[in-house]
Every structure is written in structure tokens, then in C-alpha cells.
Short mmCIF file of all heavy atoms in Angstrom, two decimals:
data_model
loop_
_atom_site.label_atom_id
_atom_site.label_comp_id
_atom_site.label_asym_id
_atom_site.label_seq_id
_atom_site.Cartn_x
_atom_site.Cartn_y
_atom_site.Cartn_z
N MET A 161 0.82 -1.20 0.00
CA MET A 161 0.00 0.00 0.00
C MET A 161 0.86 1.26 0.00
O MET A 161 0.48 2.26 -0.54
CB MET A 161 -0.94 -0.01 1.20
CG MET A 161 -1.81 1.25 1.27
SD MET A 161 -3.12 1.21 2.47
CE MET A 161 -2.29 1.04 4.00
N GLY A 162 2.04 1.23 0.58
CA GLY A 162 2.87 2.42 0.68
C GLY A 162 3.18 3.05 -0.65
O GLY A 162 3.14 4.26 -0.80
N SER A 163 3.54 2.23 -1.65
CA SER A 163 3.88 2.79 -2.95
C SER A 163 2.68 3.43 -3.63
O SER A 163 2.83 4.38 -4.39
CB SER A 163 4.51 1.72 -3.84
OG SER A 163 3.56 0.71 -4.12
N SER A 164 1.49 2.92 -3.39
CA SER A 164 0.30 3.51 -4.00
C SER A 164 0.04 4.92 -3.46
O SER A 164 -0.58 5.74 -4.15
CB SER A 164 -0.93 2.63 -3.81
OG SER A 164 -1.28 2.55 -2.44
N LEU A 165 0.54 5.21 -2.27
CA LEU A 165 0.37 6.55 -1.71
C LEU A 165 1.19 7.59 -2.46
O LEU A 165 0.93 8.78 -2.34
CB LEU A 165 0.77 6.57 -0.22
CG LEU A 165 -0.12 5.80 0.74
CD1 LEU A 165 0.43 5.89 2.16
CD2 LEU A 165 -1.55 6.27 0.68
N ASN A 166 2.17 7.13 -3.23
CA ASN A 166 3.02 8.04 -3.99
C ASN A 166 2.61 8.13 -5.46
O ASN A 166 3.22 8.87 -6.21
CB ASN A 166 4.49 7.60 -3.90
CG ASN A 166 5.00 7.67 -2.48
OD1 ASN A 166 4.68 8.59 -1.75
ND2 ASN A 166 5.78 6.69 -2.09
N ASP A 167 1.61 7.38 -5.86
CA ASP A 167 1.20 7.35 -7.27
C ASP A 167 0.02 8.31 -7.45
O ASP A 167 -1.09 8.04 -7.00
CB ASP A 167 0.80 5.94 -7.66
CG ASP A 167 0.50 5.81 -9.14
OD1 ASP A 167 0.00 6.79 -9.75
OD2 ASP A 167 0.75 4.72 -9.69
N PRO A 168 0.25 9.45 -8.12
CA PRO A 168 -0.82 10.44 -8.25
C PRO A 168 -2.04 9.92 -9.02
O PRO A 168 -3.15 10.37 -8.78
CB PRO A 168 -0.16 11.61 -8.98
CG PRO A 168 1.07 11.04 -9.60
CD PRO A 168 1.48 9.87 -8.77
N PHE A 169 -1.84 8.96 -9.92
CA PHE A 169 -2.97 8.41 -10.67
C PHE A 169 -3.87 7.57 -9.77
O PHE A 169 -5.09 7.63 -9.88
CB PHE A 169 -2.48 7.60 -11.87
CG PHE A 169 -1.78 8.45 -12.89
CD1 PHE A 169 -0.41 8.42 -13.01
CD2 PHE A 169 -2.50 9.31 -13.72
CE1 PHE A 169 0.24 9.22 -13.94
CE2 PHE A 169 -1.86 10.11 -14.65
CZ PHE A 169 -0.48 10.07 -14.76
N ILE A 170 -3.25 6.82 -8.87
CA ILE A 170 -4.04 6.01 -7.92
C ILE A 170 -4.78 6.93 -6.96
O ILE A 170 -5.97 6.73 -6.69
CB ILE A 170 -3.13 5.01 -7.18
CG1 ILE A 170 -2.64 3.94 -8.15
CG2 ILE A 170 -3.87 4.39 -6.00
CD1 ILE A 170 -1.64 2.97 -7.57
N ILE A 171 -4.10 7.95 -6.45
CA ILE A 171 -4.73 8.89 -5.53
C ILE A 171 -5.89 9.61 -6.22
O ILE A 171 -6.98 9.75 -5.65
CB ILE A 171 -3.71 9.90 -4.97
CG1 ILE A 171 -2.62 9.17 -4.17
CG2 ILE A 171 -4.40 10.96 -4.12
CD1 ILE A 171 -3.13 8.29 -3.04
N ALA A 172 -5.68 10.04 -7.46
CA ALA A 172 -6.76 10.72 -8.20
C ALA A 172 -7.95 9.79 -8.37
O ALA A 172 -9.11 10.22 -8.23
CB ALA A 172 -6.24 11.19 -9.56
N ALA A 173 -7.70 8.53 -8.66
CA ALA A 173 -8.80 7.56 -8.81
C ALA A 173 -9.54 7.37 -7.49
O ALA A 173 -10.78 7.30 -7.46
CB ALA A 173 -8.26 6.23 -9.33
N LEU A 174 -8.79 7.30 -6.40
CA LEU A 174 -9.43 7.14 -5.09
C LEU A 174 -10.27 8.36 -4.74
O LEU A 174 -11.39 8.24 -4.23
CB LEU A 174 -8.37 6.91 -4.01
CG LEU A 174 -7.60 5.59 -4.07
CD1 LEU A 174 -6.49 5.57 -3.03
CD2 LEU A 174 -8.54 4.41 -3.89
N ILE A 175 -9.74 9.55 -5.03
CA ILE A 175 -10.49 10.78 -4.75
C ILE A 175 -11.77 10.80 -5.59
O ILE A 175 -12.85 11.11 -5.08
CB ILE A 175 -9.61 12.01 -5.01
CG1 ILE A 175 -8.52 12.10 -3.95
CG2 ILE A 175 -10.46 13.29 -5.03
CD1 ILE A 175 -7.44 13.14 -4.24
N SER A 176 -11.65 10.44 -6.85
CA SER A 176 -12.82 10.41 -7.73
C SER A 176 -13.87 9.43 -7.22
O SER A 176 -15.06 9.76 -7.14
CB SER A 176 -12.38 10.03 -9.15
OG SER A 176 -13.50 9.93 -9.99
N ARG A 177 -13.44 8.22 -6.87
CA ARG A 177 -14.39 7.23 -6.36
C ARG A 177 -15.01 7.68 -5.04
O ARG A 177 -16.18 7.42 -4.78
CB ARG A 177 -13.69 5.88 -6.19
CG ARG A 177 -13.48 5.18 -7.50
CD ARG A 177 -13.03 3.73 -7.27
NE ARG A 177 -12.15 3.38 -8.36
CZ ARG A 177 -10.86 3.09 -8.24
NH1 ARG A 177 -10.28 3.06 -7.06
NH2 ARG A 177 -10.13 2.81 -9.29
N SER A 178 -14.23 8.37 -4.22
CA SER A 178 -14.76 8.87 -2.96
C SER A 178 -15.87 9.88 -3.22
O SER A 178 -16.93 9.83 -2.58
CB SER A 178 -13.64 9.52 -2.13
OG SER A 178 -14.17 10.12 -0.97
N GLN A 179 -15.64 10.78 -4.16
CA GLN A 179 -16.65 11.79 -4.47
C GLN A 179 -17.89 11.17 -5.11
O GLN A 179 -18.98 11.72 -4.99
CB GLN A 179 -16.05 12.87 -5.36
CG GLN A 179 -15.02 13.70 -4.60
CD GLN A 179 -14.33 14.75 -5.44
OE1 GLN A 179 -14.21 14.61 -6.65
NE2 GLN A 179 -13.87 15.80 -4.79
N GLN A 180 -17.72 10.03 -5.76
CA GLN A 180 -18.85 9.32 -6.36
C GLN A 180 -19.53 8.39 -5.36
O GLN A 180 -20.60 7.85 -5.63
CB GLN A 180 -18.38 8.50 -7.56
CG GLN A 180 -17.87 9.35 -8.70
CD GLN A 180 -17.20 8.50 -9.77
OE1 GLN A 180 -17.23 7.28 -9.75
NE2 GLN A 180 -16.57 9.17 -10.72
N GLY A 181 -18.88 8.16 -4.21
CA GLY A 181 -19.43 7.28 -3.19
C GLY A 181 -19.27 5.81 -3.51
O GLY A 181 -20.08 4.99 -3.08
N THR A 182 -18.20 5.46 -4.26
CA THR A 182 -18.03 4.07 -4.68
C THR A 182 -16.76 3.41 -4.15
O THR A 182 -16.33 2.38 -4.67
CB THR A 182 -18.04 3.98 -6.23
OG1 THR A 182 -16.97 4.77 -6.75
CG2 THR A 182 -19.36 4.44 -6.80
N LEU A 183 -16.15 3.98 -3.12
CA LEU A 183 -14.94 3.39 -2.55
C LEU A 183 -15.24 2.11 -1.80
O LEU A 183 -16.24 2.00 -1.09
CB LEU A 183 -14.29 4.36 -1.56
CG LEU A 183 -13.43 5.49 -2.08
CD1 LEU A 183 -12.92 6.32 -0.91
CD2 LEU A 183 -12.30 5.01 -2.92
N THR A 184 -14.34 1.14 -1.95
CA THR A 184 -14.40 -0.04 -1.09
C THR A 184 -13.77 0.33 0.26
O THR A 184 -13.14 1.38 0.40
CB THR A 184 -13.60 -1.20 -1.71
OG1 THR A 184 -12.21 -0.85 -1.73
CG2 THR A 184 -14.09 -1.54 -3.11
N ALA A 185 -13.92 -0.54 1.23
CA ALA A 185 -13.33 -0.29 2.55
C ALA A 185 -11.81 -0.19 2.45
O ALA A 185 -11.19 0.67 3.08
CB ALA A 185 -13.74 -1.39 3.53
N ASP A 186 -11.18 -1.06 1.65
CA ASP A 186 -9.73 -1.02 1.47
C ASP A 186 -9.30 0.29 0.80
O ASP A 186 -8.31 0.89 1.20
CB ASP A 186 -9.26 -2.21 0.64
CG ASP A 186 -7.75 -2.24 0.49
OD1 ASP A 186 -7.05 -2.21 1.52
OD2 ASP A 186 -7.27 -2.27 -0.67
N GLU A 187 -10.05 0.72 -0.20
CA GLU A 187 -9.72 1.98 -0.87
C GLU A 187 -9.88 3.16 0.07
O GLU A 187 -9.07 4.09 0.04
CB GLU A 187 -10.60 2.16 -2.11
CG GLU A 187 -10.27 1.20 -3.23
CD GLU A 187 -11.29 1.23 -4.35
OE1 GLU A 187 -12.47 1.57 -4.11
OE2 GLU A 187 -10.90 0.88 -5.48
N GLN A 188 -10.89 3.13 0.93
CA GLN A 188 -11.07 4.20 1.91
C GLN A 188 -9.89 4.24 2.85
O GLN A 188 -9.40 5.32 3.19
CB GLN A 188 -12.37 4.00 2.69
CG GLN A 188 -12.66 5.13 3.68
CD GLN A 188 -12.89 6.46 2.99
OE1 GLN A 188 -13.80 6.58 2.19
NE2 GLN A 188 -12.09 7.47 3.31
N ASP A 189 -9.40 3.07 3.26
CA ASP A 189 -8.22 3.01 4.13
C ASP A 189 -7.01 3.63 3.43
O ASP A 189 -6.23 4.35 4.05
CB ASP A 189 -7.90 1.56 4.52
CG ASP A 189 -8.93 0.98 5.49
OD1 ASP A 189 -9.70 1.75 6.09
OD2 ASP A 189 -8.93 -0.26 5.63
N GLN A 190 -6.84 3.33 2.13
CA GLN A 190 -5.73 3.90 1.37
C GLN A 190 -5.85 5.42 1.28
O GLN A 190 -4.87 6.14 1.47
CB GLN A 190 -5.69 3.31 -0.03
CG GLN A 190 -5.28 1.86 -0.09
CD GLN A 190 -5.32 1.33 -1.50
OE1 GLN A 190 -4.83 1.98 -2.42
NE2 GLN A 190 -5.90 0.15 -1.68
N LEU A 191 -7.06 5.90 1.01
CA LEU A 191 -7.28 7.34 0.91
C LEU A 191 -7.04 8.01 2.26
O LEU A 191 -6.38 9.05 2.33
CB LEU A 191 -8.69 7.63 0.40
CG LEU A 191 -9.04 9.10 0.20
CD1 LEU A 191 -8.08 9.78 -0.79
CD2 LEU A 191 -10.48 9.24 -0.28
N ASP A 192 -7.53 7.40 3.32
CA ASP A 192 -7.31 7.95 4.66
C ASP A 192 -5.83 8.02 4.99
O ASP A 192 -5.35 9.01 5.58
CB ASP A 192 -8.04 7.11 5.72
CG ASP A 192 -9.55 7.24 5.64
OD1 ASP A 192 -10.05 8.20 5.00
OD2 ASP A 192 -10.23 6.36 6.20
N ALA A 193 -5.07 7.00 4.59
CA ALA A 193 -3.62 6.99 4.83
C ALA A 193 -2.94 8.10 4.04
O ALA A 193 -2.04 8.77 4.55
CB ALA A 193 -3.04 5.62 4.47
N TRP A 194 -3.38 8.31 2.80
CA TRP A 194 -2.80 9.38 1.99
C TRP A 194 -3.10 10.75 2.61
O TRP A 194 -2.21 11.59 2.71
CB TRP A 194 -3.35 9.32 0.57
CG TRP A 194 -2.89 10.46 -0.27
CD1 TRP A 194 -1.68 10.60 -0.88
CD2 TRP A 194 -3.63 11.65 -0.57
NE1 TRP A 194 -1.62 11.81 -1.55
CE2 TRP A 194 -2.81 12.48 -1.37
CE3 TRP A 194 -4.90 12.11 -0.25
CZ2 TRP A 194 -3.22 13.71 -1.84
CZ3 TRP A 194 -5.31 13.33 -0.71
CH2 TRP A 194 -4.47 14.13 -1.51
N ILE A 195 -4.33 10.95 3.04
CA ILE A 195 -4.71 12.23 3.67
C ILE A 195 -3.86 12.48 4.91
O ILE A 195 -3.38 13.59 5.13
CB ILE A 195 -6.22 12.25 4.01
CG1 ILE A 195 -7.05 12.22 2.72
CG2 ILE A 195 -6.57 13.45 4.86
CD1 ILE A 195 -8.52 11.90 2.94
N ALA A 196 -3.66 11.45 5.70
CA ALA A 196 -2.91 11.58 6.96
C ALA A 196 -1.40 11.68 6.74
O ALA A 196 -0.67 12.09 7.65
CB ALA A 196 -3.21 10.39 7.87
N ALA A 197 -0.92 11.37 5.53
CA ALA A 197 0.52 11.31 5.28
C ALA A 197 1.20 12.68 5.31
O ALA A 197 2.39 12.76 5.58
CB ALA A 197 0.80 10.61 3.96
N SER A 198 0.44 13.75 5.00
CA SER A 198 1.08 15.08 5.03
C SER A 198 0.04 16.17 5.16
O SER A 198 -1.13 15.98 4.82
CB SER A 198 1.91 15.31 3.76
OG SER A 198 1.06 15.57 2.65
N ASP A 199 0.49 17.31 5.62
CA ASP A 199 -0.39 18.48 5.71
C ASP A 199 -0.85 18.92 4.33
O ASP A 199 -1.99 19.36 4.16
CB ASP A 199 0.31 19.64 6.41
CG ASP A 199 0.47 19.40 7.90
OD1 ASP A 199 -0.27 18.58 8.48
OD2 ASP A 199 1.36 20.05 8.49
N GLU A 200 0.03 18.79 3.33
CA GLU A 200 -0.33 19.18 1.97
C GLU A 200 -1.46 18.30 1.43
O GLU A 200 -2.39 18.80 0.79
CB GLU A 200 0.89 19.09 1.03
CG GLU A 200 1.95 20.12 1.32
CD GLU A 200 2.93 19.68 2.41
OE1 GLU A 200 2.89 18.52 2.87
OE2 GLU A 200 3.74 20.53 2.83
N ASN A 201 -1.38 17.00 1.70
CA ASN A 201 -2.44 16.10 1.26
C ASN A 201 -3.76 16.44 1.94
O ASN A 201 -4.81 16.49 1.29
CB ASN A 201 -2.08 14.65 1.57
CG ASN A 201 -0.90 14.14 0.78
OD1 ASN A 201 -0.38 14.83 -0.10
ND2 ASN A 201 -0.45 12.94 1.10
N ARG A 202 -3.70 16.70 3.24
CA ARG A 202 -4.91 17.04 3.98
C ARG A 202 -5.52 18.33 3.45
O ARG A 202 -6.72 18.44 3.26
CB ARG A 202 -4.60 17.17 5.48
CG ARG A 202 -5.84 17.44 6.34
CD ARG A 202 -5.48 17.61 7.81
NE ARG A 202 -4.38 18.54 8.03
CZ ARG A 202 -4.49 19.87 7.96
NH1 ARG A 202 -5.63 20.43 7.69
NH2 ARG A 202 -3.44 20.64 8.20
N GLN A 203 -4.67 19.33 3.17
CA GLN A 203 -5.14 20.61 2.65
C GLN A 203 -5.79 20.42 1.28
O GLN A 203 -6.86 20.97 1.01
CB GLN A 203 -3.99 21.61 2.56
CG GLN A 203 -4.41 22.98 2.05
CD GLN A 203 -5.37 23.69 2.99
OE1 GLN A 203 -5.30 23.53 4.20
NE2 GLN A 203 -6.26 24.47 2.43
N LEU A 204 -5.15 19.65 0.41
CA LEU A 204 -5.72 19.40 -0.92
C LEU A 204 -7.06 18.70 -0.80
O LEU A 204 -8.03 19.07 -1.47
CB LEU A 204 -4.76 18.56 -1.77
CG LEU A 204 -5.27 18.17 -3.15
CD1 LEU A 204 -5.63 19.40 -3.98
CD2 LEU A 204 -4.24 17.30 -3.86
N TRP A 205 -7.14 17.71 0.08
CA TRP A 205 -8.39 16.98 0.30
C TRP A 205 -9.50 17.94 0.75
O TRP A 205 -10.61 17.89 0.25
CB TRP A 205 -8.18 15.87 1.33
CG TRP A 205 -9.43 15.16 1.70
CD1 TRP A 205 -10.10 15.23 2.89
CD2 TRP A 205 -10.20 14.29 0.87
NE1 TRP A 205 -11.22 14.46 2.85
CE2 TRP A 205 -11.31 13.86 1.62
CE3 TRP A 205 -10.05 13.83 -0.42
CZ2 TRP A 205 -12.27 12.99 1.11
CZ3 TRP A 205 -11.02 12.97 -0.94
CH2 TRP A 205 -12.09 12.55 -0.17
N MET A 206 -9.16 18.83 1.66
CA MET A 206 -10.15 19.79 2.16
C MET A 206 -10.61 20.72 1.03
O MET A 206 -11.80 21.01 0.91
CB MET A 206 -9.59 20.57 3.35
CG MET A 206 -9.45 19.71 4.59
SD MET A 206 -8.60 20.48 6.01
CE MET A 206 -9.10 22.16 5.96
N GLU A 207 -9.67 21.17 0.21
CA GLU A 207 -10.02 22.06 -0.90
C GLU A 207 -10.88 21.36 -1.93
O GLU A 207 -11.83 21.94 -2.47
CB GLU A 207 -8.76 22.61 -1.56
CG GLU A 207 -8.03 23.61 -0.69
CD GLU A 207 -6.72 24.08 -1.30
OE1 GLU A 207 -6.47 23.81 -2.50
OE2 GLU A 207 -5.93 24.70 -0.57
N LEU A 208 -10.57 20.09 -2.21
CA LEU A 208 -11.35 19.34 -3.20
C LEU A 208 -12.78 19.07 -2.73
O LEU A 208 -13.66 18.84 -3.55
CB LEU A 208 -10.65 18.01 -3.51
CG LEU A 208 -9.37 18.12 -4.31
CD1 LEU A 208 -8.68 16.76 -4.36
CD2 LEU A 208 -9.64 18.65 -5.71
N ASN A 209 -12.98 19.10 -1.44
CA ASN A 209 -14.31 18.83 -0.88
C ASN A 209 -15.02 20.08 -0.38
O ASN A 209 -16.06 19.99 0.25
CB ASN A 209 -14.19 17.78 0.23
CG ASN A 209 -13.88 16.43 -0.35
OD1 ASN A 209 -14.73 15.80 -0.94
ND2 ASN A 209 -12.64 16.01 -0.23
N ASN A 210 -14.46 21.24 -0.69
CA ASN A 210 -15.07 22.51 -0.29
C ASN A 210 -15.97 22.98 -1.43
O ASN A 210 -15.50 23.32 -2.52
CB ASN A 210 -13.96 23.53 -0.01
CG ASN A 210 -14.49 24.86 0.45
OD1 ASN A 210 -15.41 25.41 -0.15
ND2 ASN A 210 -13.90 25.40 1.48
N THR A 211 -17.27 23.02 -1.18
CA THR A 211 -18.21 23.38 -2.24
C THR A 211 -18.03 24.81 -2.73
O THR A 211 -18.25 25.09 -3.90
CB THR A 211 -19.67 23.15 -1.79
OG1 THR A 211 -19.91 23.87 -0.59
CG2 THR A 211 -19.95 21.67 -1.59
N ASP A 212 -17.62 25.72 -1.85
CA ASP A 212 -17.39 27.10 -2.29
C ASP A 212 -16.26 27.16 -3.32
O ASP A 212 -16.38 27.84 -4.34
CB ASP A 212 -17.07 28.01 -1.11
CG ASP A 212 -18.27 28.23 -0.19
OD1 ASP A 212 -19.42 28.12 -0.68
OD2 ASP A 212 -18.05 28.49 1.00
N ILE A 213 -15.18 26.44 -3.04
CA ILE A 213 -14.06 26.42 -3.97
C ILE A 213 -14.47 25.74 -5.27
O ILE A 213 -14.12 26.21 -6.36
CB ILE A 213 -12.83 25.73 -3.33
CG1 ILE A 213 -12.27 26.59 -2.21
CG2 ILE A 213 -11.75 25.45 -4.39
CD1 ILE A 213 -11.17 25.95 -1.41
N GLN A 214 -15.23 24.66 -5.19
CA GLN A 214 -15.69 23.97 -6.40
C GLN A 214 -16.54 24.90 -7.27
O GLN A 214 -16.37 24.95 -8.48
CB GLN A 214 -16.49 22.73 -6.03
CG GLN A 214 -15.65 21.62 -5.46
CD GLN A 214 -16.48 20.44 -4.98
OE1 GLN A 214 -17.70 20.45 -5.06
NE2 GLN A 214 -15.82 19.43 -4.47
N GLN A 215 -17.42 25.66 -6.64
CA GLN A 215 -18.27 26.58 -7.40
C GLN A 215 -17.43 27.69 -8.04
O GLN A 215 -17.69 28.07 -9.18
CB GLN A 215 -19.35 27.16 -6.49
CG GLN A 215 -20.40 26.16 -6.12
CD GLN A 215 -21.39 26.69 -5.09
OE1 GLN A 215 -21.25 27.80 -4.59
NE2 GLN A 215 -22.39 25.89 -4.77
N GLN A 216 -16.44 28.19 -7.34
CA GLN A 216 -15.55 29.21 -7.90
C GLN A 216 -14.82 28.66 -9.12
O GLN A 216 -14.68 29.35 -10.14
CB GLN A 216 -14.54 29.68 -6.87
CG GLN A 216 -15.12 30.53 -5.77
CD GLN A 216 -14.10 30.82 -4.67
OE1 GLN A 216 -12.93 30.46 -4.78
NE2 GLN A 216 -14.55 31.46 -3.61
N ASN A 217 -14.35 27.42 -9.03
CA ASN A 217 -13.63 26.81 -10.14
C ASN A 217 -14.53 26.61 -11.35
O ASN A 217 -14.11 26.83 -12.49
CB ASN A 217 -13.01 25.48 -9.72
CG ASN A 217 -11.86 25.65 -8.76
OD1 ASN A 217 -11.26 26.71 -8.68
ND2 ASN A 217 -11.56 24.60 -8.02
N VAL A 218 -15.77 26.22 -11.12
CA VAL A 218 -16.71 26.03 -12.22
C VAL A 218 -16.99 27.37 -12.89
O VAL A 218 -16.99 27.47 -14.14
CB VAL A 218 -18.02 25.37 -11.72
CG1 VAL A 218 -19.11 25.45 -12.78
CG2 VAL A 218 -17.76 23.93 -11.32
N ARG A 219 -17.21 28.41 -12.10
CA ARG A 219 -17.45 29.73 -12.67
C ARG A 219 -16.24 30.22 -13.48
O ARG A 219 -16.38 30.81 -14.53
CB ARG A 219 -17.80 30.74 -11.58
CG ARG A 219 -19.24 30.61 -11.08
CD ARG A 219 -19.65 31.77 -10.20
NE ARG A 219 -18.89 31.86 -8.97
CZ ARG A 219 -19.24 31.29 -7.82
NH1 ARG A 219 -20.35 30.58 -7.76
NH2 ARG A 219 -18.50 31.43 -6.75
N ALA A 220 -15.05 29.94 -12.97
CA ALA A 220 -13.83 30.37 -13.67
C ALA A 220 -13.66 29.64 -15.00
O ALA A 220 -13.08 30.19 -15.94
CB ALA A 220 -12.62 30.14 -12.77
N MET A 221 -14.17 28.42 -15.09
CA MET A 221 -14.03 27.66 -16.31
C MET A 221 -15.16 27.90 -17.30
O MET A 221 -15.09 27.49 -18.45
CB MET A 221 -13.97 26.15 -15.99
CG MET A 221 -12.68 25.74 -15.34
SD MET A 221 -12.55 23.97 -15.12
CE MET A 221 -13.52 23.74 -13.65
N ALA A 222 -16.22 28.56 -16.85
CA ALA A 222 -17.37 28.83 -17.73
C ALA A 222 -16.93 29.76 -18.87
O ALA A 222 -16.17 30.69 -18.66
CB ALA A 222 -18.50 29.47 -16.94
N PRO A 223 -17.41 29.48 -20.06
CA PRO A 223 -17.03 30.35 -21.18
C PRO A 223 -17.58 31.77 -21.00
O PRO A 223 -18.67 31.96 -20.49
CB PRO A 223 -17.66 29.67 -22.39
CG PRO A 223 -18.71 28.76 -21.85
CD PRO A 223 -18.30 28.43 -20.43
N VAL A 224 -16.79 32.73 -21.42
CA VAL A 224 -17.19 34.12 -21.35
C VAL A 224 -18.10 34.39 -22.55
O VAL A 224 -17.77 34.04 -23.68
CB VAL A 224 -15.96 35.05 -21.38
CG1 VAL A 224 -16.38 36.50 -21.38
CG2 VAL A 224 -15.05 34.72 -20.21
N ARG A 225 -19.22 35.00 -22.31
CA ARG A 225 -20.16 35.27 -23.40
C ARG A 225 -20.18 36.72 -23.73
O ARG A 225 -20.07 37.60 -23.03
CB ARG A 225 -21.55 34.82 -23.02
CG ARG A 225 -21.58 33.32 -22.83
CD ARG A 225 -22.96 32.88 -22.46
NE ARG A 225 -22.88 31.46 -22.14
CZ ARG A 225 -23.81 30.63 -22.41
NH1 ARG A 225 -24.91 31.01 -22.99
NH2 ARG A 225 -23.70 29.37 -22.11
#
């Protein structure tokens, strides 16, 4: 499991499944370990799950008319 904590593709997949509500118990454990591994990971996790930030990002990506 340790090496998967360093693989950004695996972490991205776990984050995506978490947001979709489809994580297995083992995947949740891996995601929890990644979040706990560093302050940067925890901060990113918090930002990814902050609805205000998500809405700002969507507005920023909206085409200008």
C-alpha cells in the first residue's frame, strides 16, 4: 500500500471514487492513509471537498459570453 500513496494516478482515482461514493473499505483506508501522510495532502483533500471552492472553479471555467 505504501507505494500507491506516492502514485498520483491512484490517488486521483481514489479521490474520484470517494466523491462518487463508490470506494471499497480497502480503498477508503488507502485514501485515509494518503490524507494523513502530510499536511499538503490534507489541505488538498479539504479544498477538493469545499463546495465554495468547487463553485468558484466552475465559474472560472465557464465560457465568457
Side-chain angles (χ1 to χ4, degrees):
M161 178 170 62
S163 64
S164 66
L165 292 179
N166 297 321
D167 186 328
F169 294 105
I170 291 175
I171 298 304
L174 292 174
I175 290 170
S176 176
R177 284 191 213 115
S178 175
Q179 291 177 333
Q180 295 170 8
T182 60
L183 279 179
T184 66
D186 183 54
E187 290 170 334
Q188 183 65 59
D189 290 344
Q190 290 178 46
L191 182 58
D192 290 343
W194 175 79
I195 294 166
S198 74
D199 288 338
E200 292 85 7
N201 294 354
R202 184 182 49 76
Q203 181 65 32
L204 177 58
W205 175 250
M206 289 173 36
E207 289 176 12
L208 289 171
N209 289 286
N210 182 313
T211 55
D212 291 333
I213 291 173
Q214 289 175 359
Q215 289 173 356
Q216 289 173 5
N217 290 339
V218 168
R219 283 191 296 269
M221 289 186 279
V224 177
R225 296 180 187 216

